[in-house]
Amino acid sequence: VSVEIMPNELYIGAAAQNMIGKIKEYDIPQVIRGGAAYKKAIVEAGGAKYSTGKPSMEGGDLLTVVAEFYMPKIGKKEVHIGAEYQYLIIAGRVGYKLKLGGNELGGLSGFTGGVGVSPLPWLSINYAFLPQGDLGLAHQMGLVMKLGEGEEE
């Protein structure tokens, strides 16, 4: 379930996952999660930057800030926060995952970062790094293609 509170700016959502509990003799991890995202376009006019209520890449940068809570039935609850700043076709991302009750991996394992490039409206190439404490860094690459979208009327 999701709701758009302020058109094109503020979104909230919630989900209950795997509420069945068991499939045959296997336990299915039950999770409740919810979050919010806020988007704001920053447009330049006469050398000064100002905010608009319309996140559009036509003439400005786009800032997105997100927060999510994650509550499994078994295990540690988590709070995730993050931000993305998009300039033309390039996006920079940072985030943090806070495990309530402690982080067993230690170090900076809650921090994340990444970059994305969208050379075409339907194509995005993404990279992320995820510190895993004493285990080192994990790297992720992604290719996103939006297929089958028609022209808006």
Side-chain angles (χ1 to χ4, degrees), residues 47-129:
K49 288 193 173 191
Y50 64 94
S51 296
T52 71
K54 298 178 182 174
S56 169
M57 290 311 297
E58 300 171 7
D61 310 343
L62 180 62
L63 174 66
T64 305
V65 179
V66 297
E68 175 192 39
F69 67 88
Y70 174 86
M71 298 186 326
K73 184 175 181 182
I74 300 171
K76 294 182 180 179
K77 295 172 179 58
E78 300 176 1
V79 175
H80 307 159
I81 57 172
E84 176 186 79
Y85 189 80
Q86 186 172 354
Y87 176 74
L88 299 176
I89 65 168
I90 300 171
R93 302 177 185 109
V94 294
Y96 189 76
K97 176 172 43 174
L98 173 66
K99 288 191 176 190
L100 305 176
N103 187 347
E104 60 275 359
L105 293 178
L108 300 175
S109 61
F111 286 99
T112 61
V115 294
V117 178
S118 299
L120 300 168
W122 53 270
L123 177 67
S124 178
I125 303 163
N126 299 297
Y127 165 78
F129 68 90

